[in-house]
């Protein structure tokens, strides 16, 4: 018999055997008088919880419209930028903060013509929800005489959102001549140590459960009088260190003066130590009474020579802001436009650059606790 006929014959036998197979369906069993429980439905497999991204990365705000901004995470050295959260406020009127464990963030924004807003962001889930500010005495309004305003937001060491408020106030005088500031039915004494003309009340509130709870109140000239201000988690570049590092060596300063000929009379050359050697820059000071600020020119000190950082577009006198972590160095160049550059301090390679940003570019924080 030809092979094709054998295949057809086998197929016919299979069909016959299938038709003779006992019916074991639920309906057939029921007809036989035997009750059979239906097969349990299979529970859907829960979606895995999002895992926070790891590894070195940049964090920055990217404008996508006049009143639209995206919080972006860009893995290093050459990963694709990922949008963490998008919101309807111009980037230049927004600011970011992180929780110590790296799982959450806060976006504080000032919409044009509208009260400020704060979003709490799930960084792994790439989603955010607006926080209710009505529980704060400031609500969403701006501060003013006798009217508290939100001055700073962030996370405490336990990862709870904190809002710092301040309002200026003219002290009242009691019957015994004592001075005080009244708030919510309580009197807060104004002492001689308080700066004259700068009195006000600073307030710290913490998000507990579903409401804001006040936990610190101090008389002072600003919200910085609060102990809570120093305890907020802040992984970014120093807010106060204008000239990181130390003065450059005499030999390096002489070589810089000879080669680059700075125009500011009162400035000085500075050296920022990195794992790959010193980064030299100008501490610009326009007059004897002004504060010096970090500025271009910027050079690597390498084998007794001055080497310009690869791709750095900063004109002499442009302000520069540094952030150093392990082998990575971020340089924000604040000129007519703002750009940022990431360098491997050992190889001196430019790993990444971000152009035309409106807020400082920083390294994505490393979680401080699990």
């Amino acid at each position: 018999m030809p092979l094709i006929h054998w295949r057809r014959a086998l197929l016919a036998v299979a069909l016959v055997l299938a038709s003779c197979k006992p019916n074991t369906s639920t309906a057939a069993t029921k007809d036989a008088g035997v009750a059979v429980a239906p097969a349990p439905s299979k529970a859907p497999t829960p979606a895995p919880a999002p895992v926070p991204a790891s590894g070195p990365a940049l964090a920055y705000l990217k404008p996508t419209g006049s009143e639209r901004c995206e919080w972006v995470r860009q893995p290093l050295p050459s990963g694709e930028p990922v949008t963490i959260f998008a919101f309807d406020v111009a980037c230049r009127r927004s600011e970011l903060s992180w929780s110590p464990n790296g799982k959450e963030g806060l976006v504080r924004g000032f919409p044009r013509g509208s009260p400020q807003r704060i979003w709490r962001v799930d960084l792994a889930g790439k989603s955010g929800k607006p926080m209710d500010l009505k529980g704060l005495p400031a609500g969403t309004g701006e501060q003013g005489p006798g009217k508290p305003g939100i001055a700073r937001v962030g996370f405490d060491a336990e990862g709870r959102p904190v809002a710092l408020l301040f309002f200026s106030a003219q002290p009242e005088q009691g019957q015994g001549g004592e001075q005080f500031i009244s708030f919510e039915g309580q009197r807060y004494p104004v002492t001689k140590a308080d700066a004259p003309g700068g009195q006000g009340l600073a307030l710290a509130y913490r998000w507990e459960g579903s409401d804001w709870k006040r936990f610190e109140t101090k008389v002072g000239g600003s919200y910085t009088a609060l102990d809570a201000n120093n305890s907020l988690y802040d992984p970014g570049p120093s807010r106060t260190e204008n000239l990181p590092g130390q003065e450059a060596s005499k030999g390096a300063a002489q070589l810089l003066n000879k080669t680059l000929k700075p125009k500011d009379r009162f400035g000085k050359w500075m050296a920022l130590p990195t794992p790959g050697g010193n980064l030299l820059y100008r501490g610009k000071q326009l007059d004897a009474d002004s504060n010096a600020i970090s500025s271009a020119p910027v050079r690597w000190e390498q084998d007794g020579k001055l080497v310009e950082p690869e791709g750095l577009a900063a004109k002499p006198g442009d302000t520069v802001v540094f952030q150093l972590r392990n082998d990575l160095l971020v340089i924000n160049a604040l000129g007519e436009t703002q750009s940022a550059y990431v360098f491997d301090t050992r190889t001196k390679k430019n790993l990444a650059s971000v152009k035309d940003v409106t807020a400082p570019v920083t390294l994505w924080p490393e979680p401080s606790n699990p």
Side-chain angles (χ1 to χ4, degrees):
M1 180 181 293
L3 179 60
I4 189 169
H5 292 167
W6 274 107
R7 288 178 177 173
R8 289 174 180 171
L10 290 174
L11 178 59
V13 172
L15 292 173
V16 170
L17 290 175
S19 64
C20 297
K21 187 176 181 180
N23 189 347
T24 57
S25 67
T26 302
T29 310
K30 183 177 180 181
D31 292 340
V34 180
V36 177
S41 59
K42 188 176 181 181
T45 304
V51 179
S54 59
L58 292 177
Y60 57 90
L61 292 174
K62 175 185 176 182
T64 56
S66 60
E67 291 294 320
R68 183 73 172 171
C69 184
E70 293 181 353
W71 183 352
V72 175
R73 184 182 191 276
Q74 181 175 327
L76 294 172
S78 58
E80 289 295 321
V82 176
T83 298
I84 300 299
F85 181 61
F87 52 98
D88 292 325
V89 180
C91 293
R92 64 182 180 277
R93 298 197 303 274
S94 305
E95 58 188 37
L96 307 175
S97 54
W98 282 264
S99 65
N101 62 10
K103 296 180 179 180
E104 290 188 292
L106 293 176
V107 174
R108 183 187 181 203
F110 298 85
R112 187 185 300 277
S114 301
Q116 66 176 295
R117 302 182 67 189
I118 298 174
W119 291 270
R120 191 172 184 174
V121 180
D122 177 350
L123 299 177
K126 301 180 180 61
S127 62
K129 296 181 179 179
M131 296 193 72
D132 185 1
L133 304 182
K134 295 179 181 178
L136 297 171
T140 55
E142 300 302 319
Q143 70 183 54
K147 182 181 179 182
I150 302 172
R152 185 185 175 193
V153 298
F155 289 91
D156 64 12
E158 285 72 40
R160 295 170 295 189
V162 171
L164 307 184
L165 285 68
F166 178 79
F167 69 94
S168 58
Q170 185 65 35
E172 302 174 53
Q173 190 163 332
Q175 294 181 352
E178 71 280 4
Q179 291 188 322
F180 61 89
I181 294 175
S182 297
F183 180 69
E184 293 184 344
Q186 297 186 29
R187 293 183 174 185
Y188 297 90
V190 177
T191 66
K192 293 181 180 180
D194 298 316
Q199 294 96 342
L201 204 61
L203 314 163
Y205 288 78
R206 184 166 46 224
W207 183 259
E208 297 180 2
S210 59
D211 201 3
W212 294 97
K213 305 291 184 182
R214 179 156 55 104
F215 66 94
E216 186 183 0
T217 307
K218 276 192 176 181
V219 172
S222 77
Y223 72 93
T224 58
L226 294 164
D227 294 335
N229 180 61
N230 298 322
S231 64
L232 292 188
Y233 178 65
D234 184 4
S238 171
R239 295 170 180 265
T240 57
E241 191 177 12
N242 291 330
L243 297 177
Q246 63 271 335
E247 286 196 45
S249 67
K250 185 176 180 180
Q254 289 176 341
L255 182 58
L256 287 160
N257 282 328
K258 179 181 178 180
T259 306
L260 301 175
K261 299 177 181 180
K263 296 181 180 180
D264 63 308
R265 176 183 174 187
F266 297 93
K268 55 187 175 183
W269 293 104
M270 300 292 296
L272 175 64
T274 78
N278 285 336
L279 181 77
L280 305 170
Y281 68 93
R282 185 68 177 172
K284 181 176 66 174
Q285 187 173 350
L286 298 179
D287 56 64
D289 298 324
S290 63
N291 294 324
I293 58 175
S294 53
S295 71
V298 178
R299 296 291 187 272
W300 295 110
E301 186 177 24
Q302 198 167 356
D303 300 327
K305 298 180 181 179
L306 302 178
V307 179
E308 188 171 4
E310 177 187 356
L312 179 63
K315 299 178 181 178
D318 284 353
T319 299
V320 291
V321 178
F322 305 110
Q323 185 186 19
L324 177 66
R325 184 193 298 159
N326 302 326
D327 290 347
L328 298 178
L329 173 69
V330 179
I331 303 178
N332 278 268
L334 315 180
E336 295 179 0
T337 60
Q338 181 171 316
S339 302
Y341 309 83
V342 188
F343 296 93
D344 182 322
T345 60
R346 296 188 186 276
T347 65
K348 309 300 187 293
K349 293 294 184 181
N350 183 344
L351 301 180
S353 59
V354 181
K355 306 291 186 179
D356 300 327
V357 290
T358 55
V361 174
T362 65
L363 291 168
W364 194 273
E366 296 175 341
S368 61
N369 60 332

